[in-house]
Amino acid sequence: MSTYEEEHGLSRENSEDARSASVDRRETRSQFQELFQTFGNNNSEEDVDNSMLLLLLSQMIPASLQQEWMEQMEQSDKKGCSESFIDSLPRIPASKIKEDDSCPICCCTYKEDDHPLVAELPHCNHKFDLECISVWLSKSTSCPLCRDDVMSHKPGIDTSQVELEEDWGMFG
Amino acid sequence: MASLPKRIIKETERLASDPVPGISAEPHEDNLRYFAVTIEGPEESPYENGVFELELYLPDDYPMEAPKVRFLTRIYHPNIDRLGRICLDVLKNNWSPALQIRTVLLSIQALLASPNPNDPLANDVAEEWIKNEELAISKAKEWTKLYAGKR
Ligand SMILES: [Zn+2]
Ligand SMILES: [Zn+2]
């Protein structure tokens, strides 16, 4: 968000916003300190219920800050597919590519390239330039067209088998 | 400035040759990634008869990254904050590189037609909206007249 606003000379409102956010943060911090002192002094007296503590904390954190954290969490959660998975995507032979088929990501017809390298996603069979879909799948696991989670179908490791082996190990 | 990806050129051309009803989007002369946008308030919404100005920017990573869009015209809406920032899933976590400028603007138009005060990330307008919907709608209409009058 900030780069956008910087680029467009919209920093004034933005910095006002940032200033009030930093005041919020300062307040939050002092409230945290108070809370910890209160609970720290009469510890072990009564076991403080964790859920109550969480509730208190969440009430003290300004909504704007909560949103920021949530977005940060979502961003760090966003992991793409492995390189080996992307490399293993089936590739479409040139003979099967129609004249006016185009890549939904770059919007160019595949045949504009003399040697188009077109990949197909497993299960939903949506097709893209390998180059284009590689970039997307390096940060996401969903098909751009149907949002199918490409990793959810991966046969991968059979976990039931792994657990079974561990059980056997315990007996042995 | 790096050359403009073909996709952006194509999208720009199509926005001009086959415009979306009620929506206009024109690139700036000196920055073809920056668009001046207007969206007409949908009929039978509190924003009816209003024309809202927005700005849209295509980041360097576009289309791997969503366009940045915000309202310039003030608007009273539960999913748009006072800085004009829009709370819309396709602009954030639900972005897909198969979406386009026109689909994004259509989504924003749809958001004007059906405000969603129950969105978990909504602002204080949303609270007011939930508390007294009738009052909120009349305020939205008032703001539309006040700030989004046709020129
Ligand atoms: Zn492509
Ligand atoms: Zn798909």
Side-chain angles (χ1 to χ4, degrees), chain A residues 49-77:
Chain A
D49 187 22
N50 274 339
S51 62
M52 195 193 82
L53 233 174
L54 272 175
L55 187 73
L56 272 169
L57 287 174
S58 70
Q59 279 168 350
M60 284 179 357
I61 300 166
S64 59
L65 209 62
Q66 288 189 29
Q67 181 178 341
E68 197 181 303
W69 288 349
M70 232 148 93
E71 276 170 4
Q72 278 170 3
M73 260 157 63
E74 275 159 7
Q75 252 158 25
S76 61
D77 272 349

Side-chain angles (χ1 to χ4, degrees), chain A residues 1 4-5 7-8 10 13 17 70-71 74 105-108 112 132 135-136 139 144-145 147, chain B residues 6-7 10 34 55 57 63-64 68 70 82-83 85 90 92-100 121:
Chain A
M1 198 81 67
Y4 179 47
E5 270 139 2
E7 276 179 55
H8 296 284
L10 299 168
E13 265 185 325
D17 219 32
M70 232 148 93
E71 276 170 4
E74 275 159 7
I105 296 178
C106 64
C107 301
C108 296
E112 274 173 48
C132 292
V135 178
W136 177 247
K139 54 184 208 169
L145 282 176
R147 301 189 196 281
Chain B
K6 221 175 199 171
R7 160 165 172 163
K10 281 187 180 175
Y34 179 92
E55 55 178 12
Y57 183 74
M64 297 306 164
K68 313 268 188 204
R70 73 181 207 164
R82 61 186 181 82
L83 297 180
R85 292 178 297 204
V90 291
K92 294 179 178 168
N93 311 317
N94 260 334
W95 170 252
S96 141
L99 296 172
Q100 303 191 354
L121 296 183

